[in-house]
Amino acid sequence: MRLRLFPLLTAGLLVCAGPARAAPPAGPEPEAKPPAPEIVLANHRAVYDLSLAEGGGTRSVESARGRIVIDFRGDACRGYTMQTRQVTELSSGETGARLSDMRSTTFEGGQGREFRFKTTTLTNNKPAAPVDGTASEQGDGLTVKLKGGPKPFTVEGPVLFPSEHMRRLIEAARAGQSTLAVKVFDGSDDGRKVYDTFAVIGHAATGPAPASGSTRDKPLRDGSLATMPRWPVRLSYYTEGAGERTPIYTLGFDLYENGVSGALKLDYGDFAILGDMTALDIDAKAGRADREAGKGCTP
């Protein structure tokens, strides 16, 4: 799988000259379009069961299973907390089974200017060194500090954190943009990497999500999300640099207007893993007390 980056073309305006004409009589001003509804990222807990995608790649992995659990809480006033646990078992005839258990907790400030992250990982029950640090916007750059690591380092910006990146993707999708290219820092791996990302956004869809199987993403085909706008997104992550590069991995998903994701596919080139949502719990009351108290936080 390869994804090439092509320059975007900016359309010009063609102005035709002609004889001067009297201005038409003034008519009633057109009604202003109502503003787009505010983007509100839903407080939710989602569970995805993992399996090996059929076909494609070199099949270096013969079987895969596991689970991802995401718990996302907060609002645009106080910031967002996300707890993630991903357990994955990959099996290969050459290397045997490899079991990975990753737990991550992050906090992102409501204005997208600060980010705290901590990740612990077990591989075949052997712990790796934890990754624990902070990142903050400093002028036009981003400064990252790692506990127990080398001195802080700064990278050129602008750089987005995950929740702000999600909001930008929804904004772009609503506006009918087909692509979005931004730098993203999420504290993953060793906490020292900023990624170039390139998203391809498809056309909006509504109505129950199609399913390849009778139980595929069942929680998204019932209730309020069955009629919520969504967009297919293919998001590729690259090591920082210039020129044409091969993505480290590509994440395919359906992006819902409230930030919930379905139809997950993690493509690593040699193999791909599907994520089937098996449970979804949305906290519709989140932020209600603050609104009633006049604190001004979004839900």
Side-chain angles (χ1 to χ4, degrees):
M1 178 276 302
R2 297 290 186 270
L3 178 63
R4 298 189 60 186
L5 305 184
F6 293 95
L8 300 180
L9 301 178
T10 302
L13 297 179
L14 301 180
V15 180
C16 299
R21 299 183 180 179
E29 294 184 0
E31 294 184 5
K33 292 183 178 181
E38 184 179 9
I39 295 173
V40 178
L41 301 180
N43 284 229
H44 67 284
R45 182 180 185 273
V47 179
Y48 304 88
D49 282 353
L50 306 179
S51 61
L52 187 65
E54 296 296 331
T58 62
R59 304 297 293 179
S60 60
V61 172
E62 297 172 0
S63 67
R65 63 175 182 170
R67 177 168 291 179
I68 298 175
V69 180
I70 295 174
D71 194 294
F72 181 85
R73 306 286 164 178
D75 56 52
C77 178
R78 293 165 298 188
Y80 302 98
T81 298
M82 185 165 70
Q83 294 182 316
T84 305
R85 185 177 183 187
Q86 178 173 342
V87 178
T88 311
E89 184 179 37
L90 305 178
S91 296
S92 167
E94 296 181 0
T95 60
R98 181 176 182 271
L99 178 64
S100 173
D101 185 349
M102 185 275 293
R103 305 182 191 211
S104 172
T105 299
T106 65
F107 170 79
E108 181 177 334
Q111 300 301 316
R113 295 179 179 175
E114 60 175 324
F115 188 67
R116 299 197 299 268
F117 55 96
K118 183 174 183 179
T119 302
T120 59
T121 304
L122 294 173
T123 302
N124 289 339
N125 295 319
K126 296 180 179 179
V131 178
D132 191 348
T134 62
S136 59
E137 182 183 287
Q138 302 290 336
D140 293 332
L142 182 75
T143 297
V144 179
K145 301 178 181 179
L146 294 172
K147 291 186 179 179
K151 64 181 181 179
F153 63 94
T154 300
V155 295
E156 294 183 359
V159 180
L160 302 183
F161 299 131
S163 297
E164 184 60 25
H165 185 208
M166 179 67 73
R167 295 173 66 89
R168 288 284 299 277
L169 281 170
I170 296 171
E171 287 176 356
R174 280 181 170 181
Q177 293 178 220
S178 59
T179 61
L180 178 68
V182 295
K183 292 181 180 292
V184 173
F185 179 83
D186 59 10
S188 62
D189 205 347
D190 60 359
R192 298 182 57 84
K193 292 181 174 61
V194 173
Y195 297 100
D196 290 338
T197 70
F198 185 79
V200 178
I201 306 170
H203 295 294
T206 55
S212 58
S214 60
T215 60
R216 172 75 168 160
D217 284 336
K218 189 175 186 301
L220 298 176
R221 293 186 280 120
D222 299 321
S224 61
L225 269 72
T227 57
M228 181 174 290
R230 67 181 186 277
W231 300 265
V233 176
R234 188 170 176 82
L235 177 61
S236 297
Y237 287 76
Y238 299 83
T239 301
E240 281 190 294
E244 186 176 337
R245 289 158 288 160
T246 300
I248 302 169
Y249 67 92
T250 299
L251 175 61
F253 59 102
D254 282 350
L255 171 62
Y256 286 76
E257 199 172 35
N258 63 354
V260 172
S261 298
L264 296 185
K265 183 177 182 180
L266 294 83
D267 192 334
Y268 296 94
D270 290 340
F271 66 96
I273 295 176
L274 298 179
D276 174 22
M277 181 185 284
T278 56
L280 176 64
D281 180 17
I282 293 181
D283 185 0
K285 297 181 179 179
R288 178 177 297 176
D290 290 320
R291 294 197 304 277
E292 293 175 351
K295 294 182 180 180
C297 291
T298 59

mmCIF file of all heavy atoms in Angstrom, residues 16-64:
data_model
loop_
_atom_site.group_PDB
_atom_site.id
_atom_site.type_symbol
_atom_site.label_atom_id
_atom_site.label_comp_id
_atom_site.label_asym_id
_atom_site.label_seq_id
_atom_site.Cartn_x
_atom_site.Cartn_y
_atom_site.Cartn_z
ATOM 1 N N CYS A 16 -14.780 38.250 -16.958
ATOM 2 C CA CYS A 16 -15.011 38.621 -18.356
ATOM 3 C C CYS A 16 -15.374 40.087 -18.434
ATOM 4 O O CYS A 16 -16.259 40.560 -17.722
ATOM 5 C CB CYS A 16 -16.145 37.782 -18.964
ATOM 6 S SG CYS A 16 -15.777 36.025 -18.975
ATOM 7 N N ALA A 17 -14.691 40.804 -19.321
ATOM 8 C CA ALA A 17 -14.996 42.221 -19.501
ATOM 9 C C ALA A 17 -16.124 42.366 -20.507
ATOM 10 O O ALA A 17 -16.237 41.610 -21.461
ATOM 11 C CB ALA A 17 -13.757 42.960 -20.005
ATOM 12 N N GLY A 18 -16.970 43.380 -20.353
ATOM 13 C CA GLY A 18 -18.072 43.616 -21.279
ATOM 14 C C GLY A 18 -18.558 45.040 -21.144
ATOM 15 O O GLY A 18 -18.060 45.813 -20.328
ATOM 16 N N PRO A 19 -19.496 45.448 -21.929
ATOM 17 C CA PRO A 19 -19.979 46.803 -21.855
ATOM 18 C C PRO A 19 -20.613 47.080 -20.501
ATOM 19 O O PRO A 19 -21.195 46.202 -19.872
ATOM 20 C CB PRO A 19 -21.024 46.887 -22.988
ATOM 21 C CG PRO A 19 -21.263 45.498 -23.475
ATOM 22 C CD PRO A 19 -20.185 44.633 -22.941
ATOM 23 N N ALA A 20 -20.452 48.338 -20.075
ATOM 24 C CA ALA A 20 -21.018 48.724 -18.787
ATOM 25 C C ALA A 20 -22.522 48.672 -18.844
ATOM 26 O O ALA A 20 -23.139 49.029 -19.839
ATOM 27 C CB ALA A 20 -20.545 50.125 -18.425
ATOM 28 N N ARG A 21 -23.110 48.191 -17.777
ATOM 29 C CA ARG A 21 -24.572 48.100 -17.685
ATOM 30 C C ARG A 21 -25.039 48.741 -16.412
ATOM 31 O O ARG A 21 -24.319 48.775 -15.410
ATOM 32 C CB ARG A 21 -25.032 46.632 -17.714
ATOM 33 C CG ARG A 21 -24.652 45.896 -19.009
ATOM 34 C CD ARG A 21 -25.194 44.494 -18.996
ATOM 35 N NE ARG A 21 -24.845 43.784 -20.230
ATOM 36 C CZ ARG A 21 -25.186 42.529 -20.462
ATOM 37 N NH1 ARG A 21 -25.866 41.842 -19.552
ATOM 38 N NH2 ARG A 21 -24.859 41.933 -21.607
ATOM 39 N N ALA A 22 -26.243 49.228 -16.441
ATOM 40 C CA ALA A 22 -26.807 49.827 -15.238
ATOM 41 C C ALA A 22 -27.004 48.740 -14.188
ATOM 42 O O ALA A 22 -27.344 47.602 -14.504
ATOM 43 C CB ALA A 22 -28.147 50.499 -15.564
ATOM 44 N N ALA A 23 -26.777 49.122 -12.956
ATOM 45 C CA ALA A 23 -26.939 48.165 -11.871
ATOM 46 C C ALA A 23 -28.399 47.788 -11.734
ATOM 47 O O ALA A 23 -29.284 48.644 -11.856
ATOM 48 C CB ALA A 23 -26.435 48.773 -10.566
ATOM 49 N N PRO A 24 -28.707 46.544 -11.527
ATOM 50 C CA PRO A 24 -30.107 46.128 -11.365
ATOM 51 C C PRO A 24 -30.662 46.715 -10.079
ATOM 52 O O PRO A 24 -29.926 47.035 -9.152
ATOM 53 C CB PRO A 24 -30.024 44.604 -11.283
ATOM 54 C CG PRO A 24 -28.635 44.328 -10.795
ATOM 55 C CD PRO A 24 -27.784 45.418 -11.361
ATOM 56 N N PRO A 25 -31.963 46.910 -10.021
ATOM 57 C CA PRO A 25 -32.541 47.462 -8.796
ATOM 58 C C PRO A 25 -32.255 46.561 -7.605
ATOM 59 O O PRO A 25 -32.221 45.336 -7.723
ATOM 60 C CB PRO A 25 -34.045 47.513 -9.115
ATOM 61 C CG PRO A 25 -34.246 46.532 -10.227
ATOM 62 C CD PRO A 25 -32.977 46.582 -11.040
ATOM 63 N N ALA A 26 -32.021 47.220 -6.503
ATOM 64 C CA ALA A 26 -31.692 46.470 -5.295
ATOM 65 C C ALA A 26 -32.871 45.628 -4.856
ATOM 66 O O ALA A 26 -34.011 46.092 -4.840
ATOM 67 C CB ALA A 26 -31.288 47.428 -4.177
ATOM 68 N N GLY A 27 -32.626 44.421 -4.543
ATOM 69 C CA GLY A 27 -33.663 43.527 -4.052
ATOM 70 C C GLY A 27 -33.433 43.209 -2.596
ATOM 71 O O GLY A 27 -32.486 43.705 -1.975
ATOM 72 N N PRO A 28 -34.265 42.399 -2.041
ATOM 73 C CA PRO A 28 -34.075 42.042 -0.629
ATOM 74 C C PRO A 28 -32.788 41.257 -0.444
ATOM 75 O O PRO A 28 -32.391 40.472 -1.303
ATOM 76 C CB PRO A 28 -35.307 41.173 -0.315
ATOM 77 C CG PRO A 28 -35.758 40.654 -1.649
ATOM 78 C CD PRO A 28 -35.438 41.735 -2.642
ATOM 79 N N GLU A 29 -32.100 41.536 0.633
ATOM 80 C CA GLU A 29 -30.853 40.837 0.908
ATOM 81 C C GLU A 29 -31.147 39.360 1.194
ATOM 82 O O GLU A 29 -32.130 39.036 1.849
ATOM 83 C CB GLU A 29 -30.137 41.449 2.108
ATOM 84 C CG GLU A 29 -29.663 42.865 1.863
ATOM 85 C CD GLU A 29 -28.873 43.379 3.042
ATOM 86 O OE1 GLU A 29 -28.720 42.627 4.020
ATOM 87 O OE2 GLU A 29 -28.409 44.538 2.981
ATOM 88 N N PRO A 30 -30.286 38.474 0.672
ATOM 89 C CA PRO A 30 -30.523 37.044 0.944
ATOM 90 C C PRO A 30 -30.390 36.756 2.430
ATOM 91 O O PRO A 30 -29.617 37.391 3.142
ATOM 92 C CB PRO A 30 -29.406 36.350 0.149
ATOM 93 C CG PRO A 30 -28.351 37.400 -0.030
ATOM 94 C CD PRO A 30 -29.084 38.711 -0.123
ATOM 95 N N GLU A 31 -31.175 35.807 2.867
ATOM 96 C CA GLU A 31 -31.125 35.446 4.278
ATOM 97 C C GLU A 31 -29.786 34.814 4.620
ATOM 98 O O GLU A 31 -29.250 34.005 3.857
ATOM 99 C CB GLU A 31 -32.248 34.462 4.612
ATOM 100 C CG GLU A 31 -33.640 35.063 4.480
ATOM 101 C CD GLU A 31 -34.705 34.081 4.904
ATOM 102 O OE1 GLU A 31 -34.327 32.985 5.394
ATOM 103 O OE2 GLU A 31 -35.889 34.387 4.759
ATOM 104 N N ALA A 32 -29.242 35.220 5.742
ATOM 105 C CA ALA A 32 -27.960 34.670 6.177
ATOM 106 C C ALA A 32 -28.146 33.210 6.577
ATOM 107 O O ALA A 32 -29.146 32.827 7.193
ATOM 108 C CB ALA A 32 -27.415 35.459 7.362
ATOM 109 N N LYS A 33 -27.161 32.404 6.194
ATOM 110 C CA LYS A 33 -27.224 30.995 6.565
ATOM 111 C C LYS A 33 -26.974 30.849 8.060
ATOM 112 O O LYS A 33 -26.123 31.535 8.616
ATOM 113 C CB LYS A 33 -26.179 30.199 5.789
ATOM 114 C CG LYS A 33 -26.452 30.104 4.311
ATOM 115 C CD LYS A 33 -25.413 29.228 3.635
ATOM 116 C CE LYS A 33 -25.700 29.083 2.143
ATOM 117 N NZ LYS A 33 -24.698 28.214 1.471
ATOM 118 N N PRO A 34 -27.722 29.989 8.711
ATOM 119 C CA PRO A 34 -27.469 29.797 10.140
ATOM 120 C C PRO A 34 -26.082 29.219 10.358
ATOM 121 O O PRO A 34 -25.582 28.461 9.529
ATOM 122 C CB PRO A 34 -28.558 28.792 10.567
ATOM 123 C CG PRO A 34 -28.938 28.086 9.295
ATOM 124 C CD PRO A 34 -28.774 29.103 8.195
ATOM 125 N N PRO A 35 -25.411 29.618 11.437
ATOM 126 C CA PRO A 35 -24.060 29.089 11.690
ATOM 127 C C PRO A 35 -24.096 27.582 11.902
ATOM 128 O O PRO A 35 -25.081 27.021 12.375
ATOM 129 C CB PRO A 35 -23.629 29.814 12.971
ATOM 130 C CG PRO A 35 -24.917 30.214 13.639
ATOM 131 C CD PRO A 35 -25.879 30.496 12.519
ATOM 132 N N ALA A 36 -23.021 26.947 11.523
ATOM 133 C CA ALA A 36 -22.927 25.504 11.720
ATOM 134 C C ALA A 36 -22.958 25.193 13.208
ATOM 135 O O ALA A 36 -22.426 25.956 14.017
ATOM 136 C CB ALA A 36 -21.641 24.964 11.102
ATOM 137 N N PRO A 37 -23.592 24.105 13.591
ATOM 138 C CA PRO A 37 -23.620 23.763 15.021
ATOM 139 C C PRO A 37 -22.217 23.554 15.554
ATOM 140 O O PRO A 37 -21.315 23.122 14.842
ATOM 141 C CB PRO A 37 -24.438 22.465 15.065
ATOM 142 C CG PRO A 37 -24.368 21.913 13.679
ATOM 143 C CD PRO A 37 -24.277 23.089 12.765
ATOM 144 N N GLU A 38 -22.039 23.903 16.819
ATOM 145 C CA GLU A 38 -20.737 23.770 17.454
ATOM 146 C C GLU A 38 -20.303 22.303 17.481
ATOM 147 O O GLU A 38 -21.112 21.394 17.633
ATOM 148 C CB GLU A 38 -20.817 24.308 18.880
ATOM 149 C CG GLU A 38 -19.499 24.321 19.617
ATOM 150 C CD GLU A 38 -19.642 24.893 21.021
ATOM 151 O OE1 GLU A 38 -20.786 25.104 21.457
ATOM 152 O OE2 GLU A 38 -18.604 25.118 21.654
ATOM 153 N N ILE A 39 -18.999 22.101 17.300
ATOM 154 C CA ILE A 39 -18.466 20.744 17.372
ATOM 155 C C ILE A 39 -18.326 20.357 18.838
ATOM 156 O O ILE A 39 -17.602 21.009 19.594
ATOM 157 C CB ILE A 39 -17.105 20.643 16.667
ATOM 158 C CG1 ILE A 39 -17.275 20.896 15.170
ATOM 159 C CG2 ILE A 39 -16.470 19.271 16.904
ATOM 160 C CD1 ILE A 39 -15.967 20.975 14.417
ATOM 161 N N VAL A 40 -19.023 19.326 19.236
ATOM 162 C CA VAL A 40 -18.988 18.833 20.609
ATOM 163 C C VAL A 40 -18.542 17.379 20.571
ATOM 164 O O VAL A 40 -19.230 16.521 20.015
ATOM 165 C CB VAL A 40 -20.362 18.953 21.296
ATOM 166 C CG1 VAL A 40 -20.283 18.382 22.711
ATOM 167 C CG2 VAL A 40 -20.819 20.412 21.338
ATOM 168 N N LEU A 41 -17.372 17.112 21.137
ATOM 169 C CA LEU A 41 -16.853 15.750 21.169
ATOM 170 C C LEU A 41 -17.539 14.975 22.298
ATOM 171 O O LEU A 41 -17.505 15.388 23.453
ATOM 172 C CB LEU A 41 -15.338 15.761 21.377
ATOM 173 C CG LEU A 41 -14.536 16.524 20.315
ATOM 174 C CD1 LEU A 41 -13.051 16.463 20.633
ATOM 175 C CD2 LEU A 41 -14.814 15.991 18.921
ATOM 176 N N ALA A 42 -18.151 13.864 21.956
ATOM 177 C CA ALA A 42 -18.962 13.116 22.912
ATOM 178 C C ALA A 42 -18.107 12.430 23.965
ATOM 179 O O ALA A 42 -17.067 11.830 23.659
ATOM 180 C CB ALA A 42 -19.803 12.071 22.170
ATOM 181 N N ASN A 43 -18.544 12.529 25.226
ATOM 182 C CA ASN A 43 -17.966 11.716 26.289
ATOM 183 C C ASN A 43 -18.458 10.291 26.066
ATOM 184 O O ASN A 43 -19.669 10.031 26.045
ATOM 185 C CB ASN A 43 -18.424 12.220 27.655
ATOM 186 C CG ASN A 43 -17.716 13.488 28.086
ATOM 187 O OD1 ASN A 43 -17.225 13.590 29.199
ATOM 188 N ND2 ASN A 43 -17.668 14.479 27.207
ATOM 189 N N HIS A 44 -17.526 9.349 25.905
ATOM 190 C CA HIS A 44 -17.967 7.995 25.582
ATOM 191 C C HIS A 44 -16.915 6.959 25.950
ATOM 192 O O HIS A 44 -15.737 7.278 26.137
ATOM 193 C CB HIS A 44 -18.302 7.869 24.096
ATOM 194 C CG HIS A 44 -17.112 7.994 23.188
ATOM 195 N ND1 HIS A 44 -16.505 9.199 22.888
ATOM 196 C CD2 HIS A 44 -16.412 7.050 22.497
ATOM 197 C CE1 HIS A 44 -15.491 9.002 22.060
ATOM 198 N NE2 HIS A 44 -15.410 7.707 21.810
ATOM 199 N N ARG A 45 -17.394 5.733 26.045
ATOM 200 C CA ARG A 45 -16.533 4.564 26.232
ATOM 201 C C ARG A 45 -16.846 3.600 25.105
ATOM 202 O O ARG A 45 -18.012 3.227 24.912
ATOM 203 C CB ARG A 45 -16.769 3.899 27.584
ATOM 204 C CG ARG A 45 -15.859 2.689 27.856
ATOM 205 C CD ARG A 45 -16.172 2.100 29.230
ATOM 206 N NE ARG A 45 -15.254 1.011 29.575
ATOM 207 C CZ ARG A 45 -15.422 -0.257 29.247
ATOM 208 N NH1 ARG A 45 -16.507 -0.614 28.548
ATOM 209 N NH2 ARG A 45 -14.534 -1.169 29.615
ATOM 210 N N ALA A 46 -15.827 3.220 24.343
ATOM 211 C CA ALA A 46 -16.029 2.346 23.198
ATOM 212 C C ALA A 46 -15.111 1.136 23.305
ATOM 213 O O ALA A 46 -13.972 1.242 23.769
ATOM 214 C CB ALA A 46 -15.744 3.092 21.892
ATOM 215 N N VAL A 47 -15.621 -0.019 22.879
ATOM 216 C CA VAL A 47 -14.857 -1.265 22.886
ATOM 217 C C VAL A 47 -14.821 -1.801 21.461
ATOM 218 O O VAL A 47 -15.849 -1.901 20.794
ATOM 219 C CB VAL A 47 -15.494 -2.312 23.815
ATOM 220 C CG1 VAL A 47 -14.690 -3.604 23.794
ATOM 221 C CG2 VAL A 47 -15.603 -1.773 25.243
ATOM 222 N N TYR A 48 -13.609 -2.134 20.994
ATOM 223 C CA TYR A 48 -13.420 -2.681 19.655
ATOM 224 C C TYR A 48 -12.710 -4.026 19.766
ATOM 225 O O TYR A 48 -11.645 -4.132 20.390
ATOM 226 C CB TYR A 48 -12.558 -1.753 18.788
ATOM 227 C CG TYR A 48 -13.075 -0.337 18.649
ATOM 228 C CD1 TYR A 48 -12.722 0.641 19.590
ATOM 229 C CD2 TYR A 48 -13.878 0.031 17.576
ATOM 230 C CE1 TYR A 48 -13.174 1.934 19.461
ATOM 231 C CE2 TYR A 48 -14.332 1.334 17.438
ATOM 232 C CZ TYR A 48 -13.979 2.279 18.389
ATOM 233 O OH TYR A 48 -14.426 3.582 18.262
ATOM 234 N N ASP A 49 -13.278 -5.055 19.167
ATOM 235 C CA ASP A 49 -12.612 -6.347 19.081
ATOM 236 C C ASP A 49 -11.772 -6.380 17.808
ATOM 237 O O ASP A 49 -12.228 -5.939 16.738
ATOM 238 C CB ASP A 49 -13.634 -7.490 19.062
ATOM 239 C CG ASP A 49 -14.187 -7.776 20.450
ATOM 240 O OD1 ASP A 49 -13.686 -7.176 21.424
ATOM 241 O OD2 ASP A 49 -15.134 -8.582 20.554
ATOM 242 N N LEU A 50 -10.543 -6.904 17.920
ATOM 243 C CA LEU A 50 -9.595 -6.869 16.824
ATOM 244 C C LEU A 50 -9.477 -8.229 16.136
ATOM 245 O O LEU A 50 -9.553 -9.270 16.785
ATOM 246 C CB LEU A 50 -8.213 -6.442 17.326
ATOM 247 C CG LEU A 50 -8.148 -5.120 18.107
ATOM 248 C CD1 LEU A 50 -6.725 -4.844 18.560
ATOM 249 C CD2 LEU A 50 -8.689 -3.971 17.266
ATOM 250 N N SER A 51 -9.266 -8.188 14.821
ATOM 251 C CA SER A 51 -9.050 -9.412 14.053
ATOM 252 C C SER A 51 -8.205 -9.068 12.834
ATOM 253 O O SER A 51 -8.108 -7.909 12.430
ATOM 254 C CB SER A 51 -10.383 -10.039 13.615
ATOM 255 O OG SER A 51 -11.100 -9.133 12.785
ATOM 256 N N LEU A 52 -7.593 -10.089 12.241
ATOM 257 C CA LEU A 52 -6.744 -9.887 11.080
ATOM 258 C C LEU A 52 -7.605 -9.669 9.842
ATOM 259 O O LEU A 52 -8.542 -10.424 9.578
ATOM 260 C CB LEU A 52 -5.841 -11.104 10.874
ATOM 261 C CG LEU A 52 -4.768 -10.994 9.787
ATOM 262 C CD1 LEU A 52 -3.738 -9.935 10.146
ATOM 263 C CD2 LEU A 52 -4.101 -12.351 9.578
ATOM 264 N N ALA A 53 -7.297 -8.610 9.092
ATOM 265 C CA ALA A 53 -8.030 -8.340 7.857
ATOM 266 C C ALA A 53 -7.665 -9.386 6.816
ATOM 267 O O ALA A 53 -6.533 -9.860 6.757
ATOM 268 C CB ALA A 53 -7.708 -6.943 7.341
ATOM 269 N N GLU A 54 -8.621 -9.714 5.975
ATOM 270 C CA GLU A 54 -8.381 -10.713 4.935
ATOM 271 C C GLU A 54 -7.668 -10.080 3.750
ATOM 272 O O GLU A 54 -7.997 -8.968 3.334
ATOM 273 C CB GLU A 54 -9.714 -11.312 4.461
ATOM 274 C CG GLU A 54 -10.457 -12.092 5.527
ATOM 275 C CD GLU A 54 -9.696 -13.323 5.974
ATOM 276 O OE1 GLU A 54 -8.944 -13.874 5.149
ATOM 277 O OE2 GLU A 54 -9.841 -13.735 7.139
ATOM 278 N N GLY A 55 -6.684 -10.797 3.196
ATOM 279 C CA GLY A 55 -6.021 -10.362 1.972
ATOM 280 C C GLY A 55 -5.089 -9.198 2.192
ATOM 281 O O GLY A 55 -5.072 -8.541 3.223
ATOM 282 N N GLY A 56 -4.274 -8.910 1.185
ATOM 283 C CA GLY A 56 -3.376 -7.772 1.211
ATOM 284 C C GLY A 56 -2.106 -8.054 1.973
ATOM 285 O O GLY A 56 -2.018 -8.943 2.828
ATOM 286 N N GLY A 57 -1.056 -7.302 1.670
ATOM 287 C CA GLY A 57 0.204 -7.419 2.373
ATOM 288 C C GLY A 57 0.930 -8.720 2.058
ATOM 289 O O GLY A 57 0.544 -9.499 1.193
ATOM 290 N N THR A 58 1.984 -8.940 2.792
ATOM 291 C CA THR A 58 2.794 -10.145 2.583
ATOM 292 C C THR A 58 2.396 -11.271 3.526
ATOM 293 O O THR A 58 2.995 -12.332 3.510
ATOM 294 C CB THR A 58 4.284 -9.817 2.806
ATOM 295 O OG1 THR A 58 4.459 -9.385 4.169
ATOM 296 C CG2 THR A 58 4.747 -8.720 1.865
ATOM 297 N N ARG A 59 1.375 -10.999 4.356
ATOM 298 C CA ARG A 59 0.892 -11.986 5.311
ATOM 299 C C ARG A 59 1.995 -12.433 6.254
ATOM 300 O O ARG A 59 2.124 -13.602 6.606
ATOM 301 C CB ARG A 59 0.296 -13.194 4.602
ATOM 302 C CG ARG A 59 -0.817 -12.851 3.649
ATOM 303 C CD ARG A 59 -2.004 -12.238 4.337
ATOM 304 N NE ARG A 59 -2.664 -13.210 5.213
ATOM 305 C CZ ARG A 59 -3.727 -12.926 5.965
ATOM 306 N NH1 ARG A 59 -4.181 -11.696 5.992
ATOM 307 N NH2 ARG A 59 -4.283 -13.852 6.712
ATOM 308 N N SER A 60 2.835 -11.468 6.705
ATOM 309 C CA SER A 60 3.866 -11.783 7.692
ATOM 310 C C SER A 60 3.236 -12.155 9.030
ATOM 311 O O SER A 60 3.874 -12.767 9.876
ATOM 312 C CB SER A 60 4.795 -10.586 7.873
ATOM 313 O OG SER A 60 4.069 -9.448 8.314
ATOM 314 N N VAL A 61 1.975 -11.771 9.223
ATOM 315 C CA VAL A 61 1.214 -12.154 10.412
ATOM 316 C C VAL A 61 0.105 -13.105 9.964
ATOM 317 O O VAL A 61 -0.650 -12.793 9.046
ATOM 318 C CB VAL A 61 0.616 -10.917 11.109
ATOM 319 C CG1 VAL A 61 -0.322 -11.332 12.224
ATOM 320 C CG2 VAL A 61 1.730 -10.023 11.644
ATOM 321 N N GLU A 62 0.021 -14.264 10.596
ATOM 322 C CA GLU A 62 -0.943 -15.277 10.173
ATOM 323 C C GLU A 62 -2.268 -15.180 10.915
ATOM 324 O O GLU A 62 -3.304 -15.605 10.400
ATOM 325 C CB GLU A 62 -0.329 -16.668 10.358
ATOM 326 C CG GLU A 62 0.902 -16.873 9.468
ATOM 327 C CD GLU A 62 1.625 -18.167 9.784
ATOM 328 O OE1 GLU A 62 1.169 -18.894 10.698
ATOM 329 O OE2 GLU A 62 2.654 -18.447 9.137
ATOM 330 N N SER A 63 -2.233 -14.650 12.130
ATOM 331 C CA SER A 63 -3.478 -14.453 12.872
ATOM 332 C C SER A 63 -3.306 -13.300 13.847
ATOM 333 O O SER A 63 -2.184 -12.975 14.249
ATOM 334 C CB SER A 63 -3.884 -15.727 13.626
ATOM 335 O OG SER A 63 -2.958 -16.010 14.662
ATOM 336 N N ALA A 64 -4.411 -12.658 14.182
ATOM 337 C CA ALA A 64 -4.386 -11.538 15.119
ATOM 338 C C ALA A 64 -5.710 -11.496 15.876
ATOM 339 O O ALA A 64 -6.774 -11.808 15.329
ATOM 340 C CB ALA A 64 -4.168 -10.220 14.378
#
